[in-house]
């Protein structure tokens, strides 16, 4: 039987009529090379942001179920339009909502997790020689049967989940950059495109702000053995392949510098120094589905003293997080303070596992730039520093330079990039 290829197109790749037609042509070309094709599309351009703004115009705290009804429309528009364009190229195509495509999720609106893919309808359509377009970023909840969405960037996860369910040969993520870079090329013009990267490094990169792939899509691909290929939708060149094992020949000390400018920090003062204090705090945050990133707690210096806990959350979750903690004031802490304008810079590299001195170098580079480090967290292959948001760009450039990550593949030495 013909192999299945899943092709996912991001928002910029379907932003206007020309680009939809262009995506349709690429999809048809893949079909004509003898593959069965499922394409997963994102909402066009800034559609999702516009839909969120529309909701906020009518309601201060939009109802999450209705939010998902609203947000899921963006991806449906892309798929219907692309199916029309494919018909005009002489192929049969069918667009499906997430629900029709069998994407079953849990009940958590706006951040749902895929729990099953019942792909029989997709398979049937493929058997009928159709190209199948699946609306990304959405599903249907398993018990209440509501429309759900998968969190920002969730179309990547739709694509990987569909690829896993169909046993696809590859899940191609078409985007407006050529692949995964050693740093964001908009900040570091001589950043280099990586030909391949290991799952463990890609996970750390996605978790620390690299926007190319949604974190959950990388987790899902690793758990289900899906091959991901991130590549440009505007050029026919190889991008970055995510591999189970990194390329051992290509294992530098540091692979990439990532960053985020969307962090906020909460600090709780006067936390009782007793078992269960941290559990109460973080249970309250888990209940409202806030993803806590970095956590720092100090041990009180004096007997009977009280601890301080600081942690970061995505800035968009700050309001939810503080609202969830307020009822615990008094019992679990005495004071809560918030810093909204935080950012984070991280270096990721499997090679650092066996090399001492990387942390010292990171801190020295930041010190030389006069960047104050406010929090630090590490994993065996990552060092992250929380810093002021307005220093992030400079910090990324300095670290990328200091670890000599630019190279012959860098974007500034290729043709100027035209989207
Ligand atoms: N349209 C959704 C978003 O902007 C999902 C996606 O593009 O992956 O987050
Ligand atoms: Mg994306």
């Amino acid at each position: 039987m013909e192999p299945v290829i899943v092709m996912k197109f991001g928002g910029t790749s379907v932003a206007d009529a020309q680009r939809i037609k262009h995506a349709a042509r690429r999809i048809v070309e893949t079909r004509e090379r003898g593959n069965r094709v499922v394409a997963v599309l994102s909402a066009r351009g800034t559609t999702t942001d516009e839909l969120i703004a529309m909701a906020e115009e009518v309601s201060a705290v939009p109802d999450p179920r209705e939010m998902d009804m609203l947000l899921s429309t963006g991806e449906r528009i892309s798929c219907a339009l692309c199916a029309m364009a494919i018909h005009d190229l002489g192929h049969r195509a069918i667009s499906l909502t997430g629900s029709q495509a069998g994407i079953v999720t849990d009940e958590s609106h706006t951040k749902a997790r895929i729990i099953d893919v019942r792909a029989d309808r997709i398979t049937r359509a493929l058997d009928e020689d159709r190209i199948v377009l699946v609306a990304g970023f959405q599903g249907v909840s398993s018990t209440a049967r509501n429309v759900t969405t998968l969190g920002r960037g969730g179309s990547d996860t739709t694509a990987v989940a569909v690829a896993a369910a169909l046993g696809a040969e590859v899940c191609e993520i078409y985007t407006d950059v050529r692949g995964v870079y050693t740093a964001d090329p908009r900040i570091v013009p001589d950043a280099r495109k990586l030909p391949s990267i290991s799952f463990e490094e890609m996970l750390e990169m996605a978790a620390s702000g690299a926007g190319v792939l949604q974190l959950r899509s990388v987790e899902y691909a690793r758990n289900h053995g899906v091959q991901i290929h991130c590549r440009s939708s505007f050029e026919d060149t190889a991008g970055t392949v995510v591999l189970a094992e990194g390329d051992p020949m290509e294992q530098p000390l540091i692979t990439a510098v990532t960053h985020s400018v969307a962090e906020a920090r909460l600090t709780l003062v006067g936390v009782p120094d007793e078992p269960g204090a941290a559990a109460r705090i973080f249970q309250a945050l888990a209940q409202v589905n806030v993803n806590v990133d970095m956590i720092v707690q100090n041990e009180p210096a004096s007997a009977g003293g009280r601890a301080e806990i600081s942690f970061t959350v995505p800035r968009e979750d700050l309001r939810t997080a503080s609202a969830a903690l307020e009822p615990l004031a008094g019992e679990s802490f005495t004071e809560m303070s918030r810093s909204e304008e935080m950012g984070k810079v991280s270096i990721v590299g499997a090679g650092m596992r066996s090399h001492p001195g990387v942390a010292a170098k990171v801190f020295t580079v930041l010190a030389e730039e006069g960047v104050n480090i406010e929090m630090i967290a590490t994993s065996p292959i990552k060092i992250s520093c929380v810093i002021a948001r307005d220093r992030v760009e400079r910090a990324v450039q300095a670290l990328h330079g200091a670890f000599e990550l630019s190279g012959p593949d860098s974007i500034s030495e290729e043709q100027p990039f035209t989207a």
Side-chain angles (χ1 to χ4, degrees), residues 121-362:
R121 190 158 175 192
I122 300 181
T123 315
R124 225 181 313 132
L126 291 172
D127 289 343
E128 293 163 5
D129 190 23
R130 288 180 204 266
I131 290 168
V132 182
L133 296 139
V134 174
F137 173 59
Q138 58 189 272
V140 59
S141 67
S142 65
T143 44
R145 307 265 159 167
N146 283 316
V147 172
T148 51
T149 63
L150 309 178
R152 299 307 304 267
S155 299
D156 295 336
T157 305
T158 304
V160 169
V162 167
L166 298 174
E169 196 155 270
V170 59
C171 179
E172 298 182 326
I173 306 282
Y174 286 87
T175 177
D176 55 351
V177 289
R178 292 191 180 106
V180 180
Y181 279 78
T182 52
D184 185 339
R186 284 167 298 192
I187 293 185
V188 184
D190 62 354
R192 188 166 52 88
K193 186 184 79 191
L194 299 161
S196 68
I197 188 163
S198 65
F199 271 117
E200 65 164 355
E201 288 176 312
M202 196 61 234
L203 279 171
E204 293 282 13
M205 287 181 67
S208 60
V212 249
L213 286 170
Q214 196 199 31
L215 175 59
R216 277 189 192 168
S217 72
V218 187
E219 285 169 348
Y220 204 106
R222 186 191 52 182
N223 295 343
H224 294 81
V226 174
Q227 155 111 255
I228 293 182
H229 182 187
C230 274
R231 54 192 307 196
S232 162
S233 53
F234 307 114
E235 294 169 25
D236 201 7
T237 49
T240 304
V241 180
V242 187
L243 300 169
E245 297 285 320
D247 183 348
M249 301 301 288
E250 265 268 337
Q251 199 172 80
L253 186 56
I254 302 303
T255 301
V257 181
T258 55
H259 73 279
S260 154
V261 289
E263 311 282 322
R265 181 182 52 196
L266 280 156
T267 299
L268 304 176
V269 180
V271 178
D273 187 22
E274 65 190 26
R280 277 195 299 276
I281 291 166
F282 291 99
Q283 267 159 14
L285 295 168
Q287 253 154 31
V288 291
N289 242 320
V290 168
N291 215 346
V292 177
D293 181 24
M294 215 182 270
I295 304 172
V296 174
Q297 181 190 295
N298 68 334
E299 181 61 20
S302 57
R306 292 193 152 224
E308 238 179 75
I309 297 184
S310 288
F311 55 91
T312 57
V313 295
R315 186 173 306 116
E316 59 179 17
D317 285 348
L318 182 60
R319 234 189 300 162
T320 315
S322 20
L325 292 174
E326 262 149 31
L328 301 183
E331 190 200 351
S332 296
F333 59 89
T334 53
E335 237 177 86
M336 171 161 63
S337 64
R338 322 190 313 175
S339 319
E340 294 203 22
E341 299 295 311
M342 305 308 296
K344 184 170 74 169
V345 53
S346 309
I347 58 166
V348 175
M352 78 171 79
R353 195 180 267 131
S354 49
H355 280 80
V358 177
K361 181 160 173 182
V362 170

